[in-house]
Amino acid sequence: MASEEASLRALESLMTEFFHNCTTNERKREIEELLNNFAQQIGAWRFCLYFLSSTRNDYVMMYSLTVFENLINKMWLGVPSQDKMEIRSCLPKLLLAHHKTLPYFIRNKLCKVIVDIGRQDWPMFYHDFFTNILQLIQSPVTTPLGLIMLKTTSEELACPREDLSVARKEELRKLLLDQVQTVLGLLTGILESIWDKHSVTAATPPPSPSSGESGGDLLSSLLQSPSAAKLLNQPIPILDTESEYICSLALECLAHLFSWIPLSASITPSLLTTVFHFARFGCDTRARKMSSVNGSSQNSVLGQERGRLGILAMSCINELMSKNCVPMEFEEYLLRMFQQTFYLLQKITKENNAHTVKSRLEELDESYIEKFTDFLRLFVSVHLRRIESYSQFPVVEFLALLFKYTFHQPTHEGYFSCLDIWTLFLDYLTSKIKSRLADKEAVFNRYEDALVLLLTEVLNRIQFRYNQAQLEELDDETLDDDVRNRDLQQTEWQRYLRQSLEVVAKVMELLPTHAFSTLFPVLQDNLEVYLGLQQFVVTSGTGHRLNITAENDCRRLHCSLRDLSSLLQAVGRLAEYFIGDVFAARFNDALTVVERLVKVTLYGSQIKLYNIETAVPSVLKPDLIDVHAQSLAALQAYSHWLAQYYSEVHRQNPEQFISLVSTALEAITPLISSKVQEKLLLSACHLLVSLATTVRPVFLIRIPAVQKVFNRITDTSAQRLPDKAQVLVCRALSNVLLLPWPNLPESEQQWAVRSTNHASLISALTREYRHLKSSAILPQRKVRLEDTKVIIHQTLSILEDTVESISGESTKSRQICYQSLQESVQVSLALFPAFIHQSDVTDEMLSFFLTLFQGLRVQMGVPFTEQIIQTFLNMFTREQLAESILHEGSTGCRVVEKFLKILQVVVQEPGQVFKPFLPSIISLCMEQVYPIIAERSSPDVKAELFELLFRVLHHNWRYFFKSSVLASVQRGIAEEQMENEAHFSAIMQVTQQLSQLENLGFSDGRLCCSDQTIRNSQG
């Protein structure tokens, strides 16, 4: 090796060149190789020790520390003892000598390297490792360095990486736990001494009684101690920069220590009180004001640092709060901490002449508010059940503070987080009431006022009438980025409304009468405005026009319609609380709601407000459409109530029930049109489906409005509805004929007539599709091919949905369904070979056949099912499979996935009917599918193949073992000869390889389960 000085200069030159923006990637690779080779040389660490003490080049220092890190974590066992001893001695000396001048990231890295040595050698070979840290903390000159070492030790030794043995991890944790009492005592002493030192010299006078900062009666009730209240009203000391830095390090140490040490007597009341004192820094608006008034950047930084101390202290408190397992002896400490922290809540929600609550919250650091909200969430979710029983803790007063804190949040996210806390509280209360029936009334009485207040305020917050400025800030156009589930994406406004309505619903569950009497009058007020619009509708040359033109009137109407839309959603959300055991008790309230909704939906359809001209069409027209759609959706939410009404009490007053359903259908029928806006059309279709599927009244088919829809949907000359609406309407009409009527015996179900009608319906819907059979064998021109694809798509989407909607119904319903579909199913099978190279068509056909196999395979019968399977096995040659799979992520892959799903249904069918197909299915998997996908990504296809092979083993063990182990033993045979052993071995080998190839969401455990099932089944 060259001399140390020359090596250092060469290394500095290399590092500078490496990070220069003109250096090419090829040259960087050369330098990297040189550096790696140097690091691998025996004794390279000695040079690195020299480099660290002799250079000011950050890159060189970081490289040198990386060499040490690699040596300690990967090669330490092979390092001679004398070298280890020298390293253990030199690195701490280097840190002690240069810690004040080193860049912070180099200093922290050096601390980490020393801690890594302790991680390997403490206490056997590095007995003074932890003692040195304690000495650093106790010496005023090195206190910050000691705290950094302590935090790093906590991070690296209490929660070590996976490269340590379990025994060593446990040993380290035990060693650290032995030091916890000493460490916490030191940290408490540091924080207390700094607080006390600066409190003595604090020049800020205590707040005057008129300033609104005094604790008041609530503080006394929280703390049960006038002296404690007085102490908490002491002014917060102003710390110098060095003291703030030391306090922030100490609090960071505490936060990490609290994350892993158990709650015990080591965490003393003195420590908790001290941490709480520092939490007050976060809600001290005076420091922030001073920095903004004085204007200097130094004062601004000072204010930010003071706020950061509060955030760190709240982090400590929240680490303690997150522990669910609380020893009995620690509960009193927790109670004291809750009392102290809720003093802070009272402090930051206190109104006075100078501040509103919202302005006070706006002045606080956003991170502090987030931490405080986290604290409240942890308190309610983890500790409320144990603290509520303490008479010293005033829960109702706490709820009053939480109420103020919630409804004065400066940000939408903060408000959402607080609503989550209320949801947790309401869940807790509901659970408590259900489990304590004896004193249920006492619990209700205790919380009733708070719940009514909460309900009223949440309802006010979703209305433009009371909260226009804030609601207009919400985005109602951009969907959130929930890529996990596109169907659950929502706008900011939708999220706001949904979370608010969840709170309303949970209050309704607890206080149904109060909730209804609060909500319904508000709904009525807005309905009166909507129903009164008819008087302003005038006839113009182009149609009907809403004669409201004044800007102020249009704005008021817009707000009223938006509120009506929200309140209709609220009423719909509450539908579940009128059914089941409470149906009779709440019948009149529910009937009032349903009658009102039926009236509103009919009104909207009759005067066609959705097609009316308005003075502000870009605003009022969407509002009118939304109100109409929401009224239909709200009525749909009461379909289960209508079903219970039909089954329980309609015989007492059948005219009333018939009138409700008939009027609802009169409201629906005019909307089943391609000329109606899609949002409104789909709401009408969903309501029709619910009436046909959930309510199922026997008279539905006889209602003229339903017959009109039948005629509309089967009329080939009528313009087809958009796909989604067409499918929904066809589902509704099919279910009217297929689903059994409630409350009637089998003999009165009129199956013969309904079967004929259903066959006619399906025949009309599939007319064009069935005609394709004759032309399937002819080569098709491109234009005609596209037309054919449209017919196939439209028809199969309806047929698949029809089968899916009755797959769980009675045998008779499924029989009638298959009789009606039989010809179309045969046409589909005949068309399949003609479109085998059109993956988009094949995908839809296989979806349809998969649904058939899952829902109607019994009705299809064995011969035809065999024909389908054989056709598929013949068509999916190796070439065809390769053509499909090679288009990864495309429709072709989905085709193969669905084909494998169909085979999964086949191989798990009990009995011997489909067993003859097993050899062909196994051969297809082993010889055709697996060789193609083994070398490719195709995770979805692999997952389906794995599932298919698993089911082959799980459901067909007798294909491999003819008799049981017990029978073999009784005959005196030691071990039975396995049948089809080649297939069994191939399946086991392929499934093993599949589970290792990719992380497909399954593991060898399922193979073990399958193997065990086979063994058990033999026994």
Side-chain angles (χ1 to χ4, degrees), residues 874-913:
N874 292 342
M875 294 310 301
F876 281 104
T877 61
R878 181 161 186 167
E879 292 72 24
Q880 181 57 43
L881 287 164
E883 179 187 322
S884 297
I885 293 171
L886 292 179
H887 298 87
E888 286 177 15
S890 67
T891 316
C893 276
R894 291 203 303 273
V895 166
V896 178
E897 289 165 38
K898 283 168 186 168
F899 174 47
L900 295 174
K901 281 179 183 287
I902 290 172
L903 295 181
Q904 289 168 20
V905 176
V906 171
V907 300
Q908 70 183 36
E909 189 68 17
Q912 296 299 311
V913 177

Side-chain angles (χ1 to χ4, degrees), residues 81-92:
S81 300
Q82 193 62 37
D83 288 3
K84 286 182 183 179
M85 198 180 303
E86 193 174 341
I87 292 169
R88 287 194 295 262
S89 170
C90 292
L91 287 181

Side-chain angles (χ1 to χ4, degrees), residues 68-86:
F68 273 110
E69 193 173 43
N70 191 56
L71 178 76
I72 294 159
N73 290 325
K74 295 180 180 177
M75 299 183 282
W76 197 241
L77 278 176
V79 176
S81 300
Q82 193 62 37
D83 288 3
K84 286 182 183 179
M85 198 180 303
E86 193 174 341

Side-chain angles (χ1 to χ4, degrees), residues 523-538 545-548 557 560-561 564 596 599-600 603-604 607 609 612 624 627:
L523 175 69
Q524 278 281 75
D525 290 346
N526 286 278
L527 278 177
E528 292 306 322
V529 174
Y530 179 63
L531 295 171
L533 291 178
Q534 189 169 7
Q535 62 187 304
F536 296 101
V537 176
V538 297
R545 182 168 54 82
L546 191 64
N547 193 24
I548 298 176
L557 178 58
S560 179
L561 292 172
L564 178 55
R596 205 74 177 137
K599 178 182 177 181
V600 171
Y603 164 82
I607 68 169
L609 283 173
I612 217 154
L624 291 166
V627 166

Side-chain angles (χ1 to χ4, degrees), residues 744-794:
L744 286 179
E746 191 71 12
S747 57
E748 296 179 30
Q749 292 288 343
Q750 302 178 24
W751 287 125
V753 178
R754 296 167 75 183
S755 177
T756 304
N757 289 337
H758 192 265
S760 300
L761 172 67
I762 297 298
S763 176
L765 294 173
T766 59
R767 189 176 293 114
E768 285 186 289
Y769 182 69
R770 286 179 289 109
H771 287 161
L772 294 176
K773 184 177 181 181
S774 57
S775 59
I777 55 173
L778 301 174
Q780 301 197 349
R781 295 194 307 275
K782 187 168 183 181
V783 175
R784 190 166 169 218
L785 177 62
E786 291 307 312
D787 292 342
T788 302
K789 284 185 175 182
V790 170
I791 294 170
I792 292 172
H793 166 73
Q794 291 176 345

